[in-house]
Amino acid sequence: MGIPAGHRFPITFDELFPQGFFVLSVERATEYSEGKQPRPAVDKLTGLPVWTVQGTDPSAKGKNTGQVVKIASEYQPVPPEVLPGTPFRPAVFRGLKVTPYVRDGWVSYTVWAEEMLAPQTSNRGAKQQGNATPDAPKAA
């Protein structure tokens, strides 16, 4: 059985970011092709514009705690409000998936999300009924 290149594997928010995620910025992703001018990125699966959420992962080890989460959306995602008295914007993501890849002999991954929410609106950590999870795709 082969897994197609670019497959996105589901993962929960708590598995990926056990100590949370703090947003630094949200901007339109740029696509680079050798010998061509950079251009705005478009999701190959949906055809929607791609936005990068730059943030920090407090559970990351070492000096590099930066993390990027990509969201394919017609409109720019809006980060949650700053926590009063701090410079921090905590966020959670629904519909998280990762796409592994190898570059220069290192395995890495691209993180994708369907939606960015404020922690209090996401039901993160709340007891769920049945098979529902905060990262489950929305019902059609």
Side-chain angles (χ1 to χ4, degrees):
M1 171 172 90
I3 298 173
H7 181 75
R8 297 175 184 172
F9 295 90
I11 190 167
T12 67
F13 182 85
D14 288 333
E15 287 174 309
L16 193 57
F17 303 116
Q19 294 180 4
F21 183 92
F22 296 97
V23 177
L24 300 173
S25 67
V26 179
E27 57 192 39
R28 182 71 191 267
T30 303
E31 189 175 288
Y32 298 92
S33 295
E34 197 170 321
K36 296 182 180 178
Q37 290 288 347
R39 62 178 190 227
V42 175
D43 182 22
K44 292 173 179 66
L45 298 180
T46 65
L48 292 170
V50 176
W51 304 91
T52 58
V53 180
Q54 301 276 345
T56 186
D57 174 5
S59 65
K61 305 292 185 237
K63 294 180 182 178
N64 186 5
T65 63
Q67 179 66 56
V68 173
V69 177
K70 293 184 175 185
I71 299 176
S73 173
E74 188 67 38
Y75 303 102
Q76 181 173 352
V78 177
E81 294 296 319
V82 173
L83 284 176
T86 76
F88 301 112
R89 291 179 182 271
V92 295
F93 298 95
R94 286 189 196 244
L96 275 173
K97 295 181 181 177
V98 294
T99 301
Y101 63 91
V102 177
R103 180 176 290 151
D104 300 327
W106 292 91
V107 176
S108 194
Y109 56 88
T110 301
V111 178
W112 289 90
E114 291 176 5
E115 185 177 23
M116 175 173 53
L117 302 164
Q120 61 273 21
T121 63
S122 71
N123 293 329
R124 178 177 177 238
K127 195 167 193 168
Q128 300 292 318
Q129 297 292 324
N131 293 331
T133 67
D135 295 317
K138 293 180 193 171

